[in-house]
Amino acid sequence: MTRMGTARTVPHHIAIVMDGNGRWATKRFLPRVAGHKKGLDALRACVRHCGDLGVKVLTVFAFSSENWNRPADEVSGLMELLAAALSREVPQLQAEGVRIHFVGDRSALSDKVRTGLAQAEALTAGNHRLVFNVCFNYGGRWDMTQAAAQLAARGEAITELSLSRAMALAHVPDPDLIIRTGGELRMSNFLLWQAAYSELYFSDKLWPEFDAAAIDKAIADYGRRERRFGRTSDQVAPTAPRTTRKAA
Ligand code: FPP
């Protein structure tokens, strides 16, 4: 994005690492998959709240390229959750004007799931209220590699613009705000290219507990940030009183 200066109160694009489902379940002596089910409830509420607030793009990390290394029952539980979500949630998303995109490597998914993803995308393709990107079997390194491979196959020069256009999130502007729940302070291979100028927000709350009030708090924090995109504070907000400016 090229917007500069104080962050707009409501970010255009929010991206979320929904961490902490496993710990939420373990604390309650439940299987980890129960935490992911509760995480899906939190995600449903989050999509609705973001739409109501006027957020235009929401991108979530639902399954990483590295999550295949988890115990087999957890991997199959997440695949079943995705399949169930496709049939149960998509009609509601359609009713709410949400356009869904699945972002990631689909080659490892079953034919049935792949067909479901394509049908959900086709059904919601005419919606404009909120673009909802679900990153599934996604990794930032995978994305950069597949984009470079596309350009190489077409014999195109690699530039920032050509690479950006070949990336899996080329249909949306870069995220303004990236939220990670669950108390960890890392990116975990999420949106490595697109995060260049995103504001980062970390919460100790576990994802199933990250409710509308927690989203509002993250957005309020974002509203206090000064976005400089490499410029100085004076260039970005030349009339602002010095005491309100943040250190570089
Ligand atoms: C990370 O928490 C979360 C995931 C790997 C899965 C996220 C999935 C959902 C929120 C449900 C929505 C799912 C679909 C299929 C649309 P973690 O398990 O690493 O938590 P931990 O750090 O406490 O172990």
Side-chain angles (χ1 to χ4, degrees):
M1 293 295 289
T2 53
R3 280 192 301 273
M4 282 181 278
T6 307
R8 284 191 329 155
T9 310
V10 176
H12 182 90
H13 182 175
I14 297 181
I16 309 182
V17 180
M18 307 179 290
D19 197 15
N21 294 343
R23 277 166 285 162
W24 183 92
T26 305
K27 271 180 163 182
R28 290 161 178 78
F29 306 102
L30 295 168
R32 291 177 58 85
V33 173
H36 297 313
K37 285 187 182 150
K38 198 74 183 167
L40 181 58
D41 294 342
L43 180 54
R44 189 184 305 113
C46 175
V47 172
R48 192 161 299 158
H49 191 56
C50 285
D52 290 345
L53 289 173
V55 173
K56 299 314 284 181
V57 185
L58 176 67
T59 300
V60 297
F61 207 1
F63 191 89
S64 80
S65 317
E66 291 74 33
N67 284 154
W68 294 107
N69 298 323
R70 292 193 171 202
D73 62 336
E74 185 172 348
V75 172
S76 61
L78 279 162
M79 294 297 155
E80 282 164 25
L81 201 57
L82 175 65
L86 283 171
S87 53
R88 273 195 228 127
E89 312 287 342
V90 172
Q92 188 56 34
L93 294 175
Q94 168 70 355
E96 290 173 15
V98 176
R99 178 174 189 172
I100 193 162
H101 286 268
F102 291 93
V103 177
D105 181 2
R106 300 184 191 197
S107 63
L109 306 178
S110 71
D111 285 348
K112 189 171 168 241
V113 168
R114 279 209 300 256
T115 304
L117 302 186
Q119 283 174 343
E121 288 177 334
L123 179 72
T124 62
N127 296 337
H128 300 290
R129 187 159 174 261
L130 174 71
V131 172
F132 179 35
N133 298 309
V134 178
C135 296
F136 200 94
N137 198 19
Y138 168 89
R141 290 179 176 178
W142 163 81
D143 195 10
M144 285 190 246
T145 308
Q146 70 77 26
Q150 274 187 53
L151 297 182
R154 297 199 293 258
E156 267 184 57
I158 293 184
T159 64
E160 272 196 30
L161 187 63
S162 65
L163 203 56
S164 294
R165 285 182 174 160
M167 297 198 59
L169 278 166
H171 59 287
V172 288
D174 290 345
D176 300 293
L177 172 64
I178 299 181
I179 297 171
R180 180 174 185 141
T181 63
E184 309 285 2
L185 307 179
R186 55 178 170 261
M187 294 295 283
S188 299
N189 200 13
F190 188 48
L191 305 182
L192 298 181
W193 174 272
Q194 296 85 352
Y197 283 100
S198 304
E199 297 296 326
L200 307 181
Y201 179 87
F202 297 96
S203 167
D204 287 335
K205 275 187 184 286
L206 305 176
W207 173 249
E209 296 162 347
F210 202 76
D211 56 11
I215 295 167
D216 291 346
K217 193 166 168 234
I219 291 177
D221 190 278
Y222 166 82
R224 291 189 288 273
R225 309 279 180 94
E226 182 184 69
R227 304 193 72 189
R228 293 199 293 276
F229 298 92
R231 298 193 176 206
T232 67
S233 194
D234 285 334
Q235 286 176 303
V236 169
T239 56
R242 191 157 291 280
T243 49
T244 65
R245 291 186 204 149
K246 288 186 182 169

